[in-house]
Amino acid sequence: MSRDRRSVLTVGAANVERVIVCGRLSPGDKHLVAPGVETAGGSALNHSCRLLAAGFSALPLVPLGDDVAGDTVRRVVFDAVRARDECGGGNLTSWFDRLARRGATTSVTTVVVEADGRRTVLTERGSASDSYPAVAADVLDELSPSEISGVLIGHIHSDRASAQNAGGRTTSRVIDRFVDDVPVVANLGRTQYRLGPERWLDELRRVDLFQLSLLEAREFCGIARPSVRVIARWFQERGINALITVDRFGALGVLRDCRDVVFAWPDDLGDAVRDTTGAGDAMAAALMAEMVATGVRGRDFRPSDLAS
């Protein structure tokens, strides 16, 4: 597999994640727990780390503060680079310095995992999210499509609708800037897809692939009790290439010019594996890596391309 040394631009969320495991969470009580595991996550960071692990270059365009949490985000990316190249990461230092806002804070998420698997998520939204649309706009204006090999759009929290705008501004800006020149995968989050299909249909017809989970697809399509077949037809009839992830059962692909549905069944990895697609982030990164390596864009995919 060949490598394109230009970077994939990953656009979306980044935050510090602290995971605490307890027997049973009882609000109002004290709990003795083991030390929490701290790392960094978020759609853009996950996409970048998976691409880096596969030997591709990545530039995460993320909301970043100049705080301790922001340093953790940087460290996780640099660790992913060093895992494959001890001398790599030089250009990322100046890249992150360009993104970090002085005095701004990076988002922090605490996840409490109970013995029965239930999760309670507590998110401290960093102030870097407020300045992110302006920061992203400045970076995108200066970044030429010739400098990158592809674009992966994840969950952009600041794309929520408000009294000032209809929402989705940064996502639209990224698509308009790059879709005519390089592969674009839209792995949108709740903030974006809940704006409704009419907000996105024109743009989703232009991107190479629109990826979301089965539950997200049901909500996005807005069809009462939709089956997989109905969802597939919904995307096909609207001319959208879609990849729908189904947790540990793999994924299914829908191509705009094909009436068939492609099922990608994963290898049997045992009951311990809950999601073979890495909550969708690993799947999106793998699809982008395939397009960069082969030069075949998702808009030109045939069923055999998805099946392989």
Side-chain angles (χ1 to χ4, degrees):
M1 181 179 287
S2 63
R3 294 286 187 267
D4 187 325
R5 300 318 303 176
R6 296 175 299 163
S7 295
V8 175
L9 184 69
T10 63
V11 187
N15 55 268
V16 167
E17 295 181 350
R18 189 162 185 261
V19 180
I20 297 174
V21 179
C22 69
R24 177 174 174 79
L25 181 63
S26 178
D29 291 345
K30 292 184 178 180
H31 300 82
L32 183 63
V33 298
V37 177
E38 187 174 275
T39 184
S43 58
L45 205 68
N46 293 339
H47 291 149
S48 289
C49 288
R50 281 155 180 76
L51 286 163
L52 289 164
F56 295 83
S57 297
L59 286 176
L61 178 51
V62 297
L64 193 68
D66 63 343
D67 57 350
V68 174
D71 291 340
T72 301
V73 168
R74 296 187 190 217
R75 175 179 54 78
V76 167
V77 177
F78 283 122
D79 286 348
V81 173
R82 294 190 194 98
R84 70 150 206 242
D85 181 2
E86 293 182 358
C87 301
N91 65 321
L92 283 172
T93 299
S94 58
W95 174 262
F96 282 133
D97 288 343
R98 186 179 179 187
L99 297 181
R101 299 295 91 181
R102 184 175 299 278
T105 56
T106 306
S107 296
V108 176
T109 296
T110 301
V111 182
V112 181
V113 183
E114 299 181 57
D116 60 2
R118 290 186 302 175
R119 295 172 177 248
T120 301
V121 181
L122 308 171
T123 298
E124 303 166 54
R125 186 173 181 270
S127 60
S129 294
D130 297 328
S131 58
Y132 181 69
V135 172
D138 289 343
V139 171
L140 294 172
D141 286 343
E142 298 174 11
L143 191 62
S144 169
S146 64
E147 299 178 69
I148 62 174
S149 56
V151 177
L152 235 173
I153 306 172
H155 193 172
I156 302 176
H157 296 277
S158 58
D159 261 358
R160 61 177 51 86
S162 68
Q164 290 73 38
N165 67 82
R169 183 176 298 172
T170 300
T171 299
S172 294
R173 187 187 293 270
V174 174
I175 293 172
D176 289 341
R177 182 81 170 110
F178 296 107
V179 74
D180 292 335
D181 299 287
V182 297
V184 175
V185 172
N187 183 203
L188 307 185
R190 178 174 297 177
T191 298
Q192 295 136 300
Y193 73 73
R194 279 193 169 176
L195 295 174
E198 294 306 319
R199 169 62 182 84
W200 295 114
L201 285 181
D202 288 342
E203 286 160 314
L204 292 178
R205 293 187 185 104
R206 299 169 61 204
V207 302
D208 290 83
L209 284 171
F210 175 39
Q211 180 185 311
L212 65 175
S213 73
L214 180 58
L215 292 178
E216 291 168 342
R218 285 173 173 162
E219 183 176 359
F220 181 75
C221 296
I223 307 170
R225 300 182 180 275
S227 66
V228 170
R229 180 182 296 276
V230 170
I231 290 173
R233 292 289 180 261
W234 191 96
F235 285 109
Q236 288 169 336
E237 290 169 358
R238 287 158 180 79
I240 297 170
N241 282 351
L243 186 90
I244 301 168
T245 58
V246 199
D247 300 328
R248 71 189 304 267
F249 301 107
L252 58 96
V254 179
L255 298 178
R256 59 173 67 95
D257 297 321
C258 177
R259 297 289 289 176
D260 295 328
V261 176
V262 179
F263 288 91
W265 301 110
D267 293 331
D268 184 0
L269 301 176
D271 293 337
V273 177
R274 299 193 178 190
D275 191 337
T276 60
T277 70
D281 292 340
M283 177 69 75
L287 287 164
M288 178 56 69
E290 177 71 10
M291 284 187 268
V292 171
T294 63
V296 179
R297 294 190 57 165
R299 61 177 61 176
D300 301 317
F301 274 178
R302 297 165 296 178
S304 59
D305 295 311
L306 284 179
S308 60

